[in-house]
């Protein structure tokens, strides 16, 4: 089915964005009457506890049945989870031994190391050779510097613990996602069946994944890896389906003419042709797996994520920043490597007669790795980066934060108090005071105007689900914090995006900053916010703004840059000043793209809000976090689905508006 954005403008009549102000005026009048007569209808302002559907209890009962009583013929559900855990644990133990701990005999203090882990210099040298093969000298230098940072700043061992889980979780996520994507491509019913689950998996907060996984798999690195696989797999499924659908028809016809069977058509024709699109999915799995590093450490993953969490608890910004930068550099190195391999053309022709002639870089990398490993076994001192040569910026960073707290405390507190008293608290009270039936009706009305009755039913159902599960007030607090953060992010990000689009030097600087912000772990934004502004809504809002501002900058820049030059020249020919050109030509034409950036900003703000529950916010994220600490699966999943309902409501309302706007402008 073709995307509505791809339909020719002359064939698709634009849907009217508004259907009159009368319904909205009537809704406002009814809301005002209900507010005046609030004593007659208290149920409209506080959802009655007697009306709450006990979905949490039902889910908990189902989980308990699955864990204790469920049976699938020859094995129970508990035996199935243990088998999955064992299968994942074996390759992880091997990777952990090779990269981090070495091969050990015995346990505890009686343990004896039989063979050391791969030394730092051997791994860096091998990765440099592979990077040179994939992307040339520049990539080899970049990858070497990224991994050398881990050794120089004392993060090597914890980084190797993280890398041990990544090298297992990523291939498993890619394999499972690819298989599901192939099945969805072959069977349209299966694709329609799994699409809602993929939507939920990508909008439900990550913390909500941890609750059932903790319930079934316990507190250990394997449970953390399974959570990582579940979180990172959906983009691979979607990219596999999309890549296979985009294979040119002539390639498929050629495979049929050659007499390929269905299996041969899939693995010898479609998959090689879809390789660029598949590599995009691989890249996303890598990045999402690294995004899970800190959160997964909450259920036993360890590594760099544990270092960031420990620094957050101590409010040690310097140590937390060094560990966060280590995660970022690890992500950058793996991201650039995967992109370089994605851009390489597939090999054709007859295979080389020997491994050395066919894959010299691989042979050299293996030789460096094994040679360095053997040297470390003979001379253990070279396996560890010398402590005397290690550097740290932690003390200097903490001293800087302390100086800011001492000398700028009054100014910071004044700004915080003014915004709280004049903006945040009044807005929060306003939203909490709205009657929930009117809000649900407003969602339905917006859906009807933007997408018809089907969208109206969807948006109303999302709102009703939140109310029926007893999470209305928590959801309103989530909308308040998310909405305010998104507005501030847009007020800052859109002007920066406009500036970057109109100035090439600013564009280059903005790209570097945006890429860096996008790879920093979400938790890295919490520590400075808490150190400067203490716990509470204000610190959470600042962390959300810093984390979620990236898409609106990127999409604004891209939206203005993609405008046809002829349209800009036409505006200049009519005598428009630069300001008029921006206001009357560029911004209106780029508005659909900017709104898609706002949509992505909302998604990122919602995901960050669940993390800010650690600093004292009182919204749906706090519900998910409490459920995690109490292993309350029902509470965590219901709160997570409520967050997903808010995210899907925003997505369902913004996407059709942007599509209709593009059709009206003739750029869809």
């Amino acid at each position: 089915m073709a995307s509505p954005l791809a339909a020719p403008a002359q064939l698709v009549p634009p849907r009217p964005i508004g259907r009159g102000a009368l319904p909205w005026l009537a809704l406002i009048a009814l809301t005002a009457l209900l507010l005046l007569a609030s004593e007659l209808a208290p149920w409209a302002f506080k959802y009655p506890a007697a009306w709450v559907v006990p979905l949490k209890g039902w889910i908990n009962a189902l989980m308990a049945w699955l864990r204790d009583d469920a049976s699938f013929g020859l094995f129970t559900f508990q035996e199935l989870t243990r088998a999955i855990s064992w299968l994942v644990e074996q390759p992880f133990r091997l990777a952990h031994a090779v990269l981090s701990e070495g091969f050990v005999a015995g346990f505890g203090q009686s343990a004896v190391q039989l063979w050391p882990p791969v030394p730092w210099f051997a791994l860096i040298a091998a990765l440099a050779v592979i990077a040179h093969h994939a992307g040339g000298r520049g990539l080899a230098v970049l990858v070497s510097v990224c991994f050398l940072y881990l050794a120089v700043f004392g993060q090597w061992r914890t980084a190797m613990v993280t890398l041990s889980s990544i090298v297992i979780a990523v291939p498993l996520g890619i394999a499972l996602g690819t298989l599901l994507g192939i099945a969805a491509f072959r069977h349209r019913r299966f694709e329609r069946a799994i699409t809602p689950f993929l939507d939920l998996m990508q909008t439900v907060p990550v913390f909500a994944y941890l609750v059932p996984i903790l319930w079934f798999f316990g507190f250990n690195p394997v449970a953390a890896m399974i959570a990582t696989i579940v979180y990172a797999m959906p983009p691979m499924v979607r990219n596999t389906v999309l890549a296979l659908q985009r294979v040119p028809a002539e390639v498929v016809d050629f495979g049929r003419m050659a007499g390929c069977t269905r299996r041969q058509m899939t693995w010898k024709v479609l998959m090689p042709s879809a390789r660029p699109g598949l590599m995009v999915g691989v890249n996303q799995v890598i990045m999402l797996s690294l995004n899970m590093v800190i959160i997964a450490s909450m259920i036993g993953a360890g590594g760099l994520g544990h270092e960031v969490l420990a620094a957050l608890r101590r409010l040690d910004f310097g140590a937390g920043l060094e560990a966060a930068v280590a995660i970022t550099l690890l992500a950058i190195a793996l991201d650039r490597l995967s992109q370089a391999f994605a851009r390489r053309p597939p090999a054709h022709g007859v295979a080389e007669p020997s491994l050395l002639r066919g894959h010299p870089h691989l042979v050299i990398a293996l030789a460096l790795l094994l040679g360095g490993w053997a040297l470390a076994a003979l001379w253990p001192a070279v396996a560890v980066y010398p402590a005397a040569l290690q550097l740290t910026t932690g003390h200097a960073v903490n001293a800087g934060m302390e100086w800011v707290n001492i000398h700028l405390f009054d100014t910071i507190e004044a700004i915080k108090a003014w915004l709280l008293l004049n903006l945040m608290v009044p807005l929060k009270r306003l939203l909490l005071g709205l009657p929930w039936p009117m809000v649900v009706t407003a969602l339905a009305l917006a859906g009807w105007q933007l997408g018809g009755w089907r969208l109206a039913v969807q948006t109303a159902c999302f709102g009703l689900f939140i109310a029926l599960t007893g999470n209305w007030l928590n959801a309103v607090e989530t909308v308040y914090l998310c909405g305010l953060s998104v507005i501030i992010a847009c007020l800052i990000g859109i002007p920066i995006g406009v500036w970057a689009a109109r100035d090439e030097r600013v564009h280059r600087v903005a790209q570097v900053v945006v890429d860096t912000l996008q790879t920093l772990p979400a938790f890295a934004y919490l520590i400075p916010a808490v150190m400067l502004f203490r716990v509470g809504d204000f610190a959470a809002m600042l962390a959300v703004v810093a984390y979620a501002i990236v898409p609106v900058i990127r999409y604004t820049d891209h939206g203005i840059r993609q405008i046809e030059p002829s349209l800009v020249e036409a505006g200049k020919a009519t005598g428009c000043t630069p300001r008029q050109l921006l206001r009357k030509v560029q911004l209106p034409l780029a508005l659909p793209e900017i709104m898609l950036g706002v949509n992505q900003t909302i998604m990122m703000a919602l995901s960050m809000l669940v993390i800010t529950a650690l600093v004292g916010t009182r919204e749906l994220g706090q519900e998910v976090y409490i459920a995690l600490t109490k292993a309350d699966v029902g509470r965590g999943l219901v709160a997570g689905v409520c967050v997903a309902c808010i995210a899907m409501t925003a997505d369902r309302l913004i996407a059709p508006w942007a599509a209709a706007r593009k059709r009206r402008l003739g750029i869809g």
Side-chain angles (χ1 to χ4, degrees):
M1 182 176 178
S3 168
L5 297 180
Q10 69 271 22
L11 299 181
V12 182
R15 180 187 296 277
I17 295 300
R19 298 185 180 180
L22 186 60
W24 287 104
L25 293 174
L27 182 62
I28 292 171
L30 286 173
T31 304
L33 289 173
L34 198 54
L35 288 168
L36 292 173
S38 58
E39 295 181 358
L40 300 177
W43 54 269
F45 297 89
K46 185 177 181 181
Y47 191 83
W51 296 3
V52 174
V53 177
L55 186 58
K56 304 173 189 176
W58 296 344
I59 293 174
N60 283 334
L62 175 62
M63 292 294 119
W65 174 78
L66 283 172
R67 186 186 62 181
D68 302 330
D69 301 317
S71 177
F72 303 95
L74 299 176
F75 52 87
T76 64
F77 186 81
Q78 196 172 43
E79 290 171 341
L80 176 63
T81 58
R82 286 176 180 171
I84 294 172
S85 180
W86 185 88
L87 289 173
V88 174
E89 185 180 12
Q90 303 316 305
F92 170 72
R93 282 188 174 182
L94 177 61
H96 191 258
V98 170
L99 293 173
S100 178
E101 294 296 327
F103 293 89
V104 178
F107 298 95
Q109 298 194 4
S110 62
V112 178
Q113 191 179 72
L114 304 177
W115 199 269
V118 171
W120 61 274
F121 63 87
L123 184 59
I124 292 175
L127 287 172
V129 171
I130 293 172
H132 186 274
H133 170 63
R137 183 183 301 173
L139 183 60
V141 172
L142 175 65
V143 171
S144 301
V145 169
C146 289
F147 275 83
L148 189 60
Y149 171 93
L150 304 176
V152 172
F153 282 84
Q155 303 290 335
W156 184 266
R157 186 166 183 178
T158 51
M160 291 305 101
V161 173
T162 296
L163 191 61
S164 301
S165 63
I166 294 299
V167 298
I168 304 302
V170 167
L172 287 175
I174 292 170
L176 291 173
T178 302
L179 292 175
L180 287 173
I182 291 172
F185 171 74
R186 284 183 173 180
H187 308 285
R188 298 302 181 192
R189 289 184 180 178
F190 180 69
E191 181 186 6
R192 289 193 294 269
I194 66 170
T195 296
F197 293 100
L198 294 176
D199 289 340
L200 276 176
M201 289 168 72
Q202 290 190 284
T203 51
V204 168
V206 181
F207 275 6
Y209 288 0
L210 303 186
V211 186
I213 290 172
L214 185 65
W215 177 276
F216 289 126
F217 295 96
F219 185 91
N220 54 64
V222 174
M225 287 177 59
I226 292 171
T228 301
I229 293 168
V230 172
Y231 174 68
M233 187 174 57
M236 191 67 211
V237 180
R238 292 188 186 277
N239 277 282
T240 300
V241 175
L242 189 62
L244 292 175
Q245 288 174 345
R246 289 181 173 176
V247 173
E250 55 269 22
V251 174
V252 178
D253 292 338
F254 176 79
R256 288 173 181 161
M257 289 167 48
C260 292
T261 64
R262 192 177 187 184
R263 178 177 296 179
Q264 290 172 330
M265 178 68 77
T266 299
W267 296 105
K268 295 186 178 296
V269 178
L270 294 176
M271 294 295 285
S273 301
R275 181 173 174 269
L278 294 174
M279 288 304 297
V280 173
V282 170
N283 179 258
Q284 290 189 7
V285 172
I286 293 171
M287 299 306 290
L288 289 176
S289 297
L290 284 162
N291 283 344
M292 272 290 286
V293 163
I294 300 177
I295 296 173
S297 68
M298 299 182 74
I299 58 171
L304 291 170
H306 176 74
E307 293 297 311
V308 177
L309 273 182
L312 177 60
R313 294 189 185 102
R314 302 191 308 267
L315 288 182
D316 186 349
F317 182 50
L321 182 63
E322 284 187 355
V325 170
I327 297 173
T328 299
L329 293 178
L330 197 59
I332 290 172
L334 296 178
D335 172 60
R336 298 297 187 271
L337 269 175
S338 63
Q339 287 188 19
F341 277 108
R343 289 191 293 266
R344 284 180 61 82
H348 296 288
V350 181
E352 294 289 343
S354 68
L355 180 65
L356 179 60
R357 292 180 60 190
H359 305 279
H361 288 83
L362 178 61
V363 173
I364 294 171
L366 285 174
L368 288 171
L369 201 64
L370 295 175
W373 205 0
L375 179 62
L378 296 173
W379 188 11
V382 303
V384 181
Y385 188 84
L389 299 179
Q390 289 182 3
L391 303 176
T392 180
T393 59
H395 300 304
V397 172
N398 287 337
M401 295 295 292
E402 186 178 354
W403 185 92
V404 171
N405 265 322
I406 292 173
H407 293 84
L408 302 179
F409 177 81
D410 292 338
T411 304
I412 290 172
E413 285 298 306
I415 295 171
K416 174 183 173 181
W418 188 90
L419 285 172
L420 280 170
L421 293 174
N422 294 283
L423 177 62
M424 298 180 70
V425 173
L427 178 61
K428 183 177 180 178
R429 288 177 176 173
L430 172 65
L431 293 177
L432 288 172
L434 293 176
W436 65 266
M438 296 298 101
V439 176
V440 173
T441 304
L443 291 175
L445 180 56
W448 175 67
Q449 289 190 338
L450 291 171
W453 288 107
R454 180 175 295 181
L455 183 56
V457 171
Q458 284 184 359
T459 53
C461 286
F462 290 148
L464 282 174
F465 178 87
I466 294 171
L468 289 171
T469 54
N471 284 297
W472 185 261
L473 294 180
N474 288 326
V476 171
E477 293 219 22
T478 301
V479 171
Y480 140 73
L481 264 178
C482 176
L484 189 58
S485 302
V486 169
I487 290 171
I488 294 173
C490 291
L491 290 176
I492 299 171
I494 290 176
I496 294 174
V498 170
W499 190 17
R502 306 181 81 188
D503 190 314
E504 191 61 35
R505 287 180 297 179
V506 176
H507 169 74
R508 289 195 295 268
V509 173
Q511 286 294 105
V512 173
V513 174
V514 162
D515 288 343
T516 303
L517 289 175
Q518 198 162 22
T519 51
L520 272 175
F523 279 82
Y525 298 92
L526 274 184
I527 304 175
V530 173
M531 289 187 71
L532 292 175
F533 299 99
R534 313 299 182 268
V535 298
D537 287 359
F538 190 78
M541 182 191 71
L542 290 182
V544 172
V545 170
Y547 179 71
I549 198 173
V550 169
V552 73
I553 296 175
R554 193 186 295 277
Y555 277 77
T556 301
D557 184 5
H558 175 70
I560 293 176
R561 284 176 172 271
Q562 68 156 3
I563 296 172
E564 289 290 336
S566 58
L567 297 176
V568 178
E569 291 301 322
K572 291 178 180 178
T574 60
C576 287
T577 64
R579 183 174 296 179
Q580 290 173 327
L581 189 67
L582 174 66
R583 192 175 70 252
K584 296 182 179 296
V585 178
Q586 292 175 314
L587 283 180
L589 289 173
L591 189 58
E593 197 76 18
I594 294 172
M595 287 305 297
L596 292 177
V598 172
N599 188 16
Q600 290 299 309
T601 298
I602 294 172
M603 301 300 119
M604 293 184 68
L606 285 169
S607 66
M608 183 65 181
L609 271 177
V610 180
I611 295 173
T612 60
L614 293 171
V615 297
T617 57
R618 293 289 182 268
E619 28 75 45
L620 289 171
Q622 188 66 228
E623 284 290 296
V624 177
Y625 182 65
I626 292 172
L628 178 62
T629 59
K630 295 183 176 181
D632 189 340
V633 181
R635 186 175 184 175
L637 286 181
V638 169
V641 173
C642 288
V643 175
C645 287
I646 296 172
M648 288 189 288
T649 300
D651 179 66
R652 298 297 192 274
L653 292 178
I654 292 175
W657 181 91
R661 179 77 179 177
K662 282 189 174 184
R663 291 196 297 269
R664 290 177 65 188
L665 294 171
I667 58 177

